[in-house]
Amino acid sequence: MSFYSFIRPLGELWVKTCHPYEIIGKERLPEEGNLVVICNHLGLADVPMVATMFKGKTYFMAKKEWFDKKARAKLFTSLGAIPVDREHADMESIKKCLKVLKSDGRLCVFPEGTRNKSGTTEIMPFHGGAGILAFKTKAKVLPLCIFEKPRTFKKNYIYVGETFDFSEFQGNLSGAELNDALTEKMFEEEVKIREELRLWVKENRPKYFLQAEKRVQKEVVKLQKKAEMNGQKALLTAEKSSQSNTTGSAFVVEKSATVSGNGS
């Protein structure tokens, strides 16, 4: 038995207990591989939640900082994580991702690049790259959308969109233009299913929807107040620094005047 086969049931139990969710559109989940899964990114629990939606192993692109310790790197790698340098072109990571897809595997990418810390669930701008991986391997793309930031022991909803591919772009574009076009299509699909998810929850779980809206508003206000406090602190620090420099300059001028007076 592989380590993944051993840890998978434990992971499923943890998610079911700590981050339960309901799948909307489960019938649209593909069983075959050669699939790029894209999803919005609201919290750390997103990864295990998405992983337990599918049968078998799902590979994930993860920031390289998670692999800075040898033991942790080994653990994450065994669970299907692929380290990626978000600041520079990472050919090693790209090769690993292409290998997964060419082997009829399933690769999950969070195109927003990082967790959404705005307090809202709006889809943030997508980073390029995931579309190219799907394009080069002729993989289908499956958009998922998590309704709200995962809360421990609280139910959430994950919406499954329709799979699509990039066959319409074959032979039409190349380079940066192609990357931008693929990224734009993925972004549009993600925005679309977010609205479909919100509509479904609003119509079928109205009480939950209203409570979630209040949570978002509360979080946004909290973040705004925090930003204002940080701004005030920065302003006070700048003022103190300015006063210190002014006092220092005045001392130098006064000292120079004293010396000059003594000299005369």
Side-chain angles (χ1 to χ4, degrees):
M1 177 185 289
S2 67
F3 177 74
Y4 181 82
S5 298
F6 169 75
I7 204 71
R8 167 87 189 207
L10 298 178
E12 290 178 345
L13 178 62
W14 180 81
V15 170
K16 187 176 181 179
T17 303
C18 298
H19 292 286
Y21 61 85
E22 179 179 343
I23 301 176
I24 303 168
K26 190 174 183 178
E27 68 280 0
R28 292 191 288 269
L29 286 175
E31 294 185 1
E32 70 276 6
N34 193 23
L35 182 71
V36 173
V37 179
I38 59 174
C39 186
N40 59 331
H41 201 4
L42 300 174
L44 292 174
D46 297 346
V47 174
M49 287 169 66
V50 171
T52 54
M53 291 177 65
F54 300 92
K55 294 179 180 179
K57 195 171 188 176
T58 299
Y59 291 84
F60 289 83
M61 295 183 75
K63 60 181 182 180
K64 68 175 185 178
E65 289 79 7
W66 286 99
F67 298 78
D68 56 354
K69 303 294 183 181
K70 188 175 182 180
R72 190 162 63 178
K74 188 174 182 180
L75 171 64
F76 287 156
T77 300
S78 65
L79 293 176
I82 299 174
V84 59
D85 187 340
R86 298 181 298 177
E87 303 299 327
H88 307 91
D90 192 339
M91 293 307 299
E92 186 63 29
S93 172
I94 293 173
K95 289 178 181 178
K96 290 179 180 179
C97 292
L98 290 174
K99 183 178 180 181
V100 168
L101 295 173
K102 288 178 179 179
S103 302
D104 286 332
R106 186 169 49 244
L107 175 70
C108 180
V109 182
F110 297 99
E112 291 169 305
T114 186
R115 283 172 286 151
N116 186 340
K117 299 176 183 178
S118 69
T120 74
T121 58
E122 296 284 343
I123 306 301
M124 298 191 299
F126 275 14
H127 292 261
I132 292 294
L133 293 173
F135 181 82
K136 285 184 174 293
T137 56
K138 293 182 171 58
K140 289 189 177 297
V141 180
L142 176 70
L144 303 177
C145 188
I146 300 172
F147 183 72
E148 67 171 329
K149 181 179 179 180
R151 298 173 297 137
T152 307
F153 305 124
K154 302 296 182 179
K155 188 174 182 178
N156 210 333
Y157 295 88
I158 303 180
Y159 190 89
V160 181
E162 297 283 355
T163 56
F164 61 92
D165 59 35
F166 295 125
S167 56
E168 63 188 279
F169 297 102
Q170 293 288 345
N172 294 329
L173 299 171
S174 62
E177 283 187 328
L178 175 62
N179 184 45
D180 290 344
L182 302 181
T183 302
E184 182 179 358
K185 177 162 184 174
M186 290 193 303
F187 180 77
E188 290 174 349
E189 291 291 332
E190 190 68 28
V191 170
K192 173 186 171 184
I193 68 167
R194 176 181 178 270
E195 292 307 312
E196 292 174 353
L197 169 59
R198 285 176 57 80
L199 181 61
W200 187 95
V201 175
K202 186 176 183 179
E203 292 180 346
N204 296 276
R205 305 288 188 273
K207 185 177 179 180
Y208 178 95
F209 182 85
L210 290 175
Q211 292 174 339
E213 289 290 282
K214 290 179 180 179
R215 284 192 288 272
V216 168
Q217 293 172 4
K218 186 177 180 180
E219 183 67 16
V220 169
V221 170
K222 177 183 174 182
L223 291 174
Q224 287 175 343
K225 289 182 177 179
K226 184 177 180 181
E228 289 173 0
M229 289 179 64
N230 290 337
Q232 291 173 356
K233 287 181 181 179
L235 181 60
L236 287 173
T237 301
E239 288 178 348
K240 287 181 180 179
S241 177
S242 177
Q243 290 172 359
S244 176
N245 291 336
T246 302
T247 302
S249 299
F251 176 78
V252 171
V253 171
E254 181 182 358
K255 189 70 175 177
S256 300
T258 300
V259 172
S260 176
N262 292 336
S264 62

